[in-house]
Each structure stands twice: as structure tokens, then as C-alpha cells.
Amino acid sequence: MKLRAIIKRMRNAWRRHGWRMFGPLLLHNLRYYTKHWMRHGSLRMPRSSVDHIPGVETQRAVYLSELGYTGTVGESAEPYQPIDEAQFRSVMEALPIRLADYAFVDLGSGKGRALLLAAQAGFQTITGVEFSDELHQTAQKNLAAARDRWPNVDRIKLLCGDAAQYRPPLVPVVCYLYNPFGASVMRQVIDVWVRAMSTHSQDVWVVYSNPTQSELFMSEPVFEHQFTKAGSAVFRRRA
Ligand SMILES: C[S@@+](CC[C@H](N)C(=O)[O-])C[C@H]1O[C@@H](n2cnc3c(N)ncnc32)[C@H](O)[C@@H]1O
């Protein structure tokens, strides 16, 4: 990332979060990029195999200032950044379940990288919920380009809207979150999922990469922390 882009991001973060949150956020990011540097030997995001499909682009980060978010969703939203493929694969492979028996839901699905990786991993159905219309349209283009070149693209469904309004499916499910939003939206999302779970007894997993709000799951009696792997915290519905 160029110095000018870093300064712009810091200025935006200061404006959005004020001095109270700026310090902790700065520390969080310093820790994140140090770990990233140690893992990859560079600050650049490694490209994903998904981006080798002609016509597919999931690599470029999109900052909130470019997306023009407003209102409560905007105050809580995190910018678009694609998940590192190795990180995604490593945590999905560690799940002690048969992925083909589960639905996969990505809340904050961006340009669709995690969705394509989940399709390749063999989930039964794959749903992406993305608030930004612009990112949703890019994901639509990406899926169209990948259709005959990538496994199980026909299993993917894209929804454009607020993740807090999404009703979870009443089937065994893995809910995927890659640091999509802050505490206020995450609280609403957890409440919706907990309410839905009170109506069925299906298995529910939550895989939360770069889990900045993990204490909300830790303190939720319905969920039990299973393990943390490659920067992702994994929770399961308590038996
Ligand atoms: C870090 S990106 C994750 C991208 C994708 N899950 C992946 O792994 O490649 C977070 C995404 O969450 C989206 N987002 C933020 N708030 C949202 C909300 N309330 N509802 C739906 N999507 C949201 C952002 O627009 C952004 O695309």
C-alpha cells in the first residue's frame, strides 16, 4: 500500500471513529499488518486462484470512502478486503464436519472470493449477503465469468442488503464472517441468528476471520468457542 493511501485511510478512520477509537484501531491494524508481514514476507495480499479465472477480479481493496456508505450500516461497516485464500482454506479444512451437508453463508460477501472458494470446497448451497450495490454488481460479474470455469458456481446465490436483515436458513449451516462490521451491526446479526436457532435444532457453526468482535460471540451462551486457527475464531452452537 502506498504512503499516500495509508495517510488517507488514517484520516478517514480518525473522522469516522474519533480520537477515542482511533488508538485501539491503530494498534489493531499494526498488529494485523505485522502478522501479515511475518506470514507472507510482504504487505501485499497474495493473489487468489479465483483471480486467475479470466474476467474475475476480487483482489483490489475498496475503502469505505469509495463506497459512499451512510447511516448506521455505514458507521459500523468495514471496507472491502478479500480474504487470504490460504487462511480461508486452512480454517475450512479444520472443521470436523462434512461440508457437503452444510449451507455456507458469507455475511459481507464483497466481490465473492470466499463464495467461490466455498463452492470449490463443496458446500451444499452458498449465499452471499453484501450491503454495497457496487460490490454486489462486481460479484455478479465475477460469478458470470466463473460459471463454466469453476466448480459449483450454480450453487451460489447473491443478495444485496444489510446482513442484520438476513434471515438464516433453517438447515445445518456455516456462517462466515471476515471482519465485515463493528459491534452494533454484529450485535443485531447475533440476535437474529439466536432467535432463528430457538426455532430449530440444526447444527450452526460460525467462522470469524480477523475477529475484532469475538467477545460478542464469547459472551453469547448459545455459542461455544471451538478453536482459533490461522487468524479465524470458530464457534459452534452449544449442544
Ligand atoms: C472484509 S470484507 C469481506 C469480503 C468477503 N467476505 C471475502 O472474504 O472475500 C467486508 C465486507 O462486508 C461488507 N459489509 C459491511 N457492512 C455490511 C452490512 N451491514 N451488511 C452486509 N455487508 C456489509 C463490506 O461492504 C465489505 O464488502
Side-chain angles (χ1 to χ4, degrees), residues 195-221:
R195 223 174 297 130
M197 278 154 60
S198 70
T199 67
H200 69 82
S201 54
Q202 307 280 7
D203 198 14
V204 178
W205 290 75
V206 175
V207 176
Y208 188 1
S209 300
N210 194 1
T212 57
Q213 307 300 325
S214 68
E215 69 285 358
L216 292 180
F217 285 95
M218 293 284 189
S219 61
E220 184 56 61

Side-chain angles (χ1 to χ4, degrees), residues 169-186:
L170 308 180
V171 294
V173 61
V174 173
C175 173
Y176 184 64
L177 301 154
Y178 172 33
N179 189 25
F181 25 71
S184 59
V185 172
M186 192 62 87

Side-chain angles (χ1 to χ4, degrees), residues 58 62 64 67 69 73-74 76-84 88 106-115 129-132 135 161-164 176-182 185 189:
T58 68
V62 185
L64 289 170
L67 291 172
Y69 274 10
V73 173
S76 195
E78 292 293 338
Y80 171 74
Q81 213 176 339
I83 186 62
D84 171 43
F88 183 87
D106 182 7
L107 297 180
S109 47
K111 300 183 188 179
R113 178 183 289 185
L115 301 177
V129 185
E130 170 54 50
F131 187 74
S132 153
L135 293 174
D162 180 2
Y176 184 64
L177 301 154
Y178 172 33
N179 189 25
F181 25 71
V185 172
V189 166

